[in-house]
C-alpha cells in the first residue's frame, strides 16, 4: 500500500514522466516477461523500474549469471529499487543517457530491454533518443518489450523495429498493450 501511495504521489508531481496512477499489475508483469524469454539472457536492461513490479518478475525469471541493469530517473524510486534488488545495478539517470553506463561497464549487447516508460507522454525527442539507443545496443536476436495503454504506440515502435507483435492484457489498470519488438 505504501508503494502504491508513493507511486500516486509521483504521478501527481510528474505525471508526464510517470504515465500511470498505479504500478503495473503482476499479470502485466508476467505477460511482459513471458514474451521476453529471459531464461537464457546474459544482460537485461529495465527502463523505468518504478516501484519494481516488473523487476520482481524479471529477477524471478533470469538465470543466476545474468546481469540486470535498472535505469530509473526518479531518486526515490531508485533508492527503493536498490533496497529491494541489491544484486542488480540500479542506475539513477534518464534512459536517454544509458549508453554512457553501458559503455563504462563494457556492456556491448543487451539481450533484452524491458520498458515501463510512458513513451507517448514523454517529449517526442526524448522517446526517439531512447529508442535509438535501444536499437543500437540490442543484440541481433534480442528483444525489446514495452507496454503502453495506447494502441497507436504500435506505429511509434514500428519506426524502429521491423517486427512488432502486440498482445492485450485486461488484468491491469488500465488494460494495456504489450509490444514485443525485434530487429528481424
Ligand atoms: C509507468 S511507470 C512504470 C513503473 C513500473 N515499471 C511499473 O510497471 O509499475 C514509468 C517509470 O519510468 C520512469 N521514467 C520516466 N521517464 C524516464 C526516463 N527518461 N528515464 C528513466 N526513467 C524514466 C518513471 O520515473 C517511472 O518510474
Amino acid at each position: 500500500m505504501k508503494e502504491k501511495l508513493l507511486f500516486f504521489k509521483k504521478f501527481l508531481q510528474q505525471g508526464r514522466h510517470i504515465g500511470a496512477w498505479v504500478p503495473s499489475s503482476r499479470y502485466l508483469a508476467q505477460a511482459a516477461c513471458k514474451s521476453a524469454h529471459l531464461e537464457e539472457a546474459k544482460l537485461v536492461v529495465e527502463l523505468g523500474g518504478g516501484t519494481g513490479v516488473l523487476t520482481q518478475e524479471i529477477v524471478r525469471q533470469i538465470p543466476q549469471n545474468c546481469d540486470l541493469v535498472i535505469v530509473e530517473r526518479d531518486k526515490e524510486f531508485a533508492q527503493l529499487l536498490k533496497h529491494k534488488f541489491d544484486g542488480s545495478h540500479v542506475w539513477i539517470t534518464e534512459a536517454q543517457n544509458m549508453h554512457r553506463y553501458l559503455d563504462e561497464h563494457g556492456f556491448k549487447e543487451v539481450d533484452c530491454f524491458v520498458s515501463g516508460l510512458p513513451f507517448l507522454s514523454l517529449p517526442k525527442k526524448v522517446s526517439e533518443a531512447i529508442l535509438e539507443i535501444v536499437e543500437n545496443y540490442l543484440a541481433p536476436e534480442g528483444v525489446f518489450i514495452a507496454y503502453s495503454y495506447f494502441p497507436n504506440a504500435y506505429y511509434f515502435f514500428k519506426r524502429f523495429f521491423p517486427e512488432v507483435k502486440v498482445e492485450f492484457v485486461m488484468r491491469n489498470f488500465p488494460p494495456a498493450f504489450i509490444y514485443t519488438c525485434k530487429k528481424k
Side-chain angles (χ1 to χ4, degrees), residues 7 14 17-20 22-24 46-54 71-74 77 93-96 116-118 122 126 130 147 149:
F7 198 95
Q14 12 162 341
H17 296 277
I18 306 295
V22 287
S24 299
E46 183 186 5
L47 307 178
T51 53
V53 178
L54 264 80
V71 182
E72 172 55 60
R73 72 186 288 277
D74 182 87
F77 279 154
T93 191
E94 306 235 304
Q96 54 272 38
L117 297 179
L122 294 177
V126 169
I130 296 169
Y147 67 78
Y149 309 122

Side-chain angles (χ1 to χ4, degrees), residues 51-97:
T51 53
V53 178
L54 264 80
T55 324
Q56 186 81 51
E57 192 56 31
I58 296 169
V59 166
R60 212 176 61 78
Q61 295 198 17
I62 53 176
Q64 264 193 340
N65 61 347
C66 177
D67 280 302
L68 171 61
V69 177
I70 309 166
V71 182
E72 172 55 60
R73 72 186 288 277
D74 182 87
K75 285 197 181 115
E76 216 172 337
F77 279 154
Q79 291 307 338
L80 178 67
L81 293 164
K82 276 187 184 171
H83 179 70
K84 285 171 87 172
F85 307 102
D86 65 353
S88 54
H89 312 249
V90 178
W91 207 44
I92 310 171
T93 191
E94 306 235 304
Q96 54 272 38
N97 299 324

Side-chain angles (χ1 to χ4, degrees), residues 20-177:
W21 297 356
V22 287
S24 299
S25 69
R26 69 188 154 94
Y27 305 103
L28 180 62
Q30 283 164 359
C33 291
K34 194 171 161 208
S35 313
H37 298 292
L38 296 171
E39 57 284 348
E40 286 179 11
K42 292 191 180 64
L43 174 60
V44 175
V45 177
E46 183 186 5
L47 307 178
T51 53
V53 178
L54 264 80
T55 324
Q56 186 81 51
E57 192 56 31
I58 296 169
V59 166
R60 212 176 61 78
Q61 295 198 17
I62 53 176
Q64 264 193 340
N65 61 347
C66 177
D67 280 302
L68 171 61
V69 177
I70 309 166
V71 182
E72 172 55 60
R73 72 186 288 277
D74 182 87
K75 285 197 181 115
E76 216 172 337
F77 279 154
Q79 291 307 338
L80 178 67
L81 293 164
K82 276 187 184 171
H83 179 70
K84 285 171 87 172
F85 307 102
D86 65 353
S88 54
H89 312 249
V90 178
W91 207 44
I92 310 171
T93 191
E94 306 235 304
Q96 54 272 38
N97 299 324
M98 69 177 149
H99 52 295
R100 296 191 196 139
Y101 183 89
L102 296 174
D103 291 347
E104 271 169 30
H105 288 75
F107 291 134
K108 291 193 169 62
E109 272 190 356
V110 178
D111 299 303
C112 181
F113 283 94
V114 182
S115 169
L117 297 179
F119 280 108
L120 295 194
S121 68
L122 294 177
K124 193 169 170 232
K125 279 197 170 157
V126 169
S127 296
E128 287 173 349
I130 296 169
L131 261 284
E132 273 166 25
I133 301 170
V134 169
E135 197 189 15
N136 283 340
Y137 283 79
L138 188 66
E141 305 296 328
V143 60
F144 167 63
I145 308 282
Y147 67 78
S148 171
Y149 309 122
F150 307 105
N152 54 338
Y154 174 86
Y155 300 102
F156 176 65
F157 297 129
K158 192 70 187 159
R159 283 175 45 206
F160 296 85
F161 294 97
E163 184 182 318
V164 180
K165 287 190 180 151
V166 192
E167 190 189 335
F168 188 58
V169 177
M170 278 295 291
R171 295 176 87 181
N172 190 67
F173 182 75
F177 297 88

